[in-house]
PDB file of all heavy atoms in Angstrom:
ATOM      1  N   GLY A 245      90.642 105.944  98.086  1.00  0.00           N
ATOM      2  CA  GLY A 245      90.022 107.246  98.250  1.00  0.00           C
ATOM      3  C   GLY A 245      89.890 108.020  96.918  1.00  0.00           C
ATOM      4  O   GLY A 245      89.616 109.202  96.907  1.00  0.00           O
ATOM      5  N   GLN A 246      90.027 107.282  95.778  1.00  0.00           N
ATOM      6  CA  GLN A 246      90.078 107.964  94.493  1.00  0.00           C
ATOM      7  C   GLN A 246      88.736 108.593  94.071  1.00  0.00           C
ATOM      8  O   GLN A 246      88.723 109.454  93.212  1.00  0.00           O
ATOM      9  CB  GLN A 246      90.569 107.006  93.416  1.00  0.00           C
ATOM     10  CG  GLN A 246      89.735 105.758  93.215  1.00  0.00           C
ATOM     11  CD  GLN A 246      90.260 104.548  93.971  1.00  0.00           C
ATOM     12  OE1 GLN A 246      90.510 104.655  95.171  1.00  0.00           O
ATOM     13  NE2 GLN A 246      90.487 103.439  93.307  1.00  0.00           N
ATOM     14  N   CYS A 247      87.644 108.227  94.726  1.00  0.00           N
ATOM     15  CA  CYS A 247      86.357 108.820  94.329  1.00  0.00           C
ATOM     16  C   CYS A 247      86.221 110.212  94.904  1.00  0.00           C
ATOM     17  O   CYS A 247      85.404 111.017  94.454  1.00  0.00           O
ATOM     18  CB  CYS A 247      85.199 107.939  94.841  1.00  0.00           C
ATOM     19  SG  CYS A 247      84.905 106.428  93.872  1.00  0.00           S
ATOM     20  N   GLY A 248      87.036 110.557  95.904  1.00  0.00           N
ATOM     21  CA  GLY A 248      87.064 111.934  96.420  1.00  0.00           C
ATOM     22  C   GLY A 248      85.889 112.277  97.352  1.00  0.00           C
ATOM     23  O   GLY A 248      85.569 113.441  97.520  1.00  0.00           O
ATOM     24  N   VAL A 249      85.307 111.237  97.984  1.00  0.00           N
ATOM     25  CA  VAL A 249      84.174 111.510  98.913  1.00  0.00           C
ATOM     26  C   VAL A 249      84.612 111.480 100.389  1.00  0.00           C
ATOM     27  O   VAL A 249      83.780 111.491 101.279  1.00  0.00           O
ATOM     28  CB  VAL A 249      82.999 110.519  98.635  1.00  0.00           C
ATOM     29  CG1 VAL A 249      82.436 110.786  97.280  1.00  0.00           C
ATOM     30  CG2 VAL A 249      83.497 109.095  98.789  1.00  0.00           C
ATOM     31  N   GLY A 250      85.905 111.381 100.641  1.00  0.00           N
ATOM     32  CA  GLY A 250      86.432 111.436 102.026  1.00  0.00           C
ATOM     33  C   GLY A 250      86.410 110.145 102.750  1.00  0.00           C
ATOM     34  O   GLY A 250      86.531 110.139 103.973  1.00  0.00           O
ATOM     35  N   THR A 251      86.306 109.040 102.037  1.00  0.00           N
ATOM     36  CA  THR A 251      86.351 107.727 102.695  1.00  0.00           C
ATOM     37  C   THR A 251      87.272 106.792 101.883  1.00  0.00           C
ATOM     38  O   THR A 251      87.657 107.122 100.763  1.00  0.00           O
ATOM     39  CB  THR A 251      84.968 107.034 102.721  1.00  0.00           C
ATOM     40  OG1 THR A 251      84.617 106.576 101.440  1.00  0.00           O
ATOM     41  CG2 THR A 251      83.915 108.019 103.232  1.00  0.00           C
ATOM     42  N   THR A 252      87.587 105.633 102.469  1.00  0.00           N
ATOM     43  CA  THR A 252      88.280 104.578 101.731  1.00  0.00           C
ATOM     44  C   THR A 252      87.463 103.351 101.705  1.00  0.00           C
ATOM     45  O   THR A 252      87.972 102.232 101.724  1.00  0.00           O
ATOM     46  CB  THR A 252      89.694 104.326 102.355  1.00  0.00           C
ATOM     47  OG1 THR A 252      89.516 104.041 103.761  1.00  0.00           O
ATOM     48  CG2 THR A 252      90.622 105.474 102.154  1.00  0.00           C
ATOM     49  N   VAL A 253      86.129 103.483 101.642  1.00  0.00           N
ATOM     50  CA  VAL A 253      85.237 102.353 101.378  1.00  0.00           C
ATOM     51  C   VAL A 253      85.729 101.741 100.090  1.00  0.00           C
ATOM     52  O   VAL A 253      86.033 102.418  99.133  1.00  0.00           O
ATOM     53  CB  VAL A 253      83.787 102.850 101.228  1.00  0.00           C
ATOM     54  CG1 VAL A 253      82.905 101.763 100.751  1.00  0.00           C
ATOM     55  CG2 VAL A 253      83.298 103.398 102.541  1.00  0.00           C
ATOM     56  N   SER A 254      85.767 100.374 100.040  1.00  0.00           N
ATOM     57  CA  SER A 254      86.454  99.732  98.909  1.00  0.00           C
ATOM     58  C   SER A 254      85.834 100.091  97.539  1.00  0.00           C
ATOM     59  O   SER A 254      86.520 100.265  96.553  1.00  0.00           O
ATOM     60  CB  SER A 254      86.459  98.246  99.110  1.00  0.00           C
ATOM     61  OG  SER A 254      85.118  97.740  99.180  1.00  0.00           O
ATOM     62  N   LYS A 255      84.479 100.152  97.487  1.00  0.00           N
ATOM     63  CA  LYS A 255      83.833 100.536  96.211  1.00  0.00           C
ATOM     64  C   LYS A 255      82.408 101.001  96.520  1.00  0.00           C
ATOM     65  O   LYS A 255      81.804 100.617  97.519  1.00  0.00           O
ATOM     66  CB  LYS A 255      83.845  99.387  95.246  1.00  0.00           C
ATOM     67  CG  LYS A 255      83.072  98.104  95.706  1.00  0.00           C
ATOM     68  CD  LYS A 255      83.196  97.018  94.673  1.00  0.00           C
ATOM     69  CE  LYS A 255      82.500  95.728  95.127  1.00  0.00           C
ATOM     70  NZ  LYS A 255      82.617  94.652  94.102  1.00  0.00           N
ATOM     71  N   TYR A 256      81.893 101.762  95.607  1.00  0.00           N
ATOM     72  CA  TYR A 256      80.521 102.224  95.670  1.00  0.00           C
ATOM     73  C   TYR A 256      79.728 101.621  94.496  1.00  0.00           C
ATOM     74  O   TYR A 256      80.091 101.858  93.343  1.00  0.00           O
ATOM     75  CB  TYR A 256      80.454 103.766  95.610  1.00  0.00           C
ATOM     76  CG  TYR A 256      80.884 104.437  96.881  1.00  0.00           C
ATOM     77  CD1 TYR A 256      82.159 104.945  97.005  1.00  0.00           C
ATOM     78  CD2 TYR A 256      80.037 104.515  97.956  1.00  0.00           C
ATOM     79  CE1 TYR A 256      82.589 105.518  98.190  1.00  0.00           C
ATOM     80  CE2 TYR A 256      80.439 105.105  99.151  1.00  0.00           C
ATOM     81  CZ  TYR A 256      81.712 105.624  99.285  1.00  0.00           C
ATOM     82  OH  TYR A 256      82.109 106.160 100.448  1.00  0.00           O
ATOM     83  N   THR A 257      78.723 100.835  94.829  1.00  0.00           N
ATOM     84  CA  THR A 257      77.877 100.199  93.803  1.00  0.00           C
ATOM     85  C   THR A 257      76.587 101.035  93.543  1.00  0.00           C
ATOM     86  O   THR A 257      75.591 100.489  93.090  1.00  0.00           O
ATOM     87  CB  THR A 257      77.482  98.790  94.214  1.00  0.00           C
ATOM     88  OG1 THR A 257      76.812  98.818  95.451  1.00  0.00           O
ATOM     89  CG2 THR A 257      78.726  97.924  94.377  1.00  0.00           C
ATOM     90  N   CYS A 258      76.663 102.302  93.810  1.00  0.00           N
ATOM     91  CA  CYS A 258      75.618 103.255  93.505  1.00  0.00           C
ATOM     92  C   CYS A 258      76.228 104.629  93.501  1.00  0.00           C
ATOM     93  O   CYS A 258      77.425 104.824  93.835  1.00  0.00           O
ATOM     94  CB  CYS A 258      74.521 103.168  94.590  1.00  0.00           C
ATOM     95  SG  CYS A 258      75.110 103.229  96.293  1.00  0.00           S
ATOM     96  N   LEU A 259      75.470 105.620  93.100  1.00  0.00           N
ATOM     97  CA  LEU A 259      76.053 106.969  92.972  1.00  0.00           C
ATOM     98  C   LEU A 259      75.984 107.695  94.282  1.00  0.00           C
ATOM     99  O   LEU A 259      74.924 107.953  94.855  1.00  0.00           O
ATOM    100  CB  LEU A 259      75.248 107.746  91.868  1.00  0.00           C
ATOM    101  CG  LEU A 259      75.720 107.528  90.411  1.00  0.00           C
ATOM    102  CD1 LEU A 259      75.428 106.094  90.017  1.00  0.00           C
ATOM    103  CD2 LEU A 259      75.038 108.515  89.493  1.00  0.00           C
ATOM    104  N   VAL A 260      77.198 108.128  94.755  1.00  0.00           N
ATOM    105  CA  VAL A 260      77.303 108.882  95.989  1.00  0.00           C
ATOM    106  C   VAL A 260      77.657 110.311  95.683  1.00  0.00           C
ATOM    107  O   VAL A 260      78.442 110.595  94.758  1.00  0.00           O
ATOM    108  CB  VAL A 260      78.365 108.222  96.927  1.00  0.00           C
ATOM    109  CG1 VAL A 260      79.708 108.185  96.255  1.00  0.00           C
ATOM    110  CG2 VAL A 260      78.453 108.964  98.229  1.00  0.00           C
TER     111      VAL A 260
END
Side-chain angles (χ1 to χ4, degrees):
Q246 59 265 52
C247 286
V249 293
T251 74
T252 52
V253 171
S254 62
K255 62 182 177 180
Y256 286 98
T257 58
C258 49
L259 275 68
V260 59

